[in-house]
Amino acid sequence: MAARGYSVGQGRVKGDASPLRLIMAGPFADRRALIVALNDLRRNGYPGAVAR
C-alpha cells in the first residue's frame, strides 16, 4: 500500500485461531477519495479491502 502512495499503519486483532494482521490506509480527504482508493486497492492485490 505504501508503494502505491497511501499512508499506512498496522496492528493486530485477536482472531479465533490466531491473531490477524490489520493494515490500515488513510486518512482520505473525502468519501470520493475513499472510494477511489478502495477500488484501486481491490484491483491491485487487496480484494478484501473494506472501509471502516
Side-chain angles (χ1 to χ4, degrees):
M1 288 184 197
R4 298 199 62 75
Y6 298 106
S7 297
V8 296
Q10 57 183 312
R12 295 206 180 266
V13 178
K14 287 186 180 181
D16 292 337
S18 62
L20 301 174
R21 191 167 134 196
L22 175 67
I23 303 172
M24 300 164 281
F28 300 98
D30 54 30
R31 182 173 172 77
R32 178 179 160 92
L34 171 63
I35 298 301
V36 168
L38 275 174
N39 289 334
D40 177 58
L41 291 170
R42 289 173 179 161
R43 281 191 308 267
N44 291 286
Y46 299 92
V50 295
R52 299 262 165 140

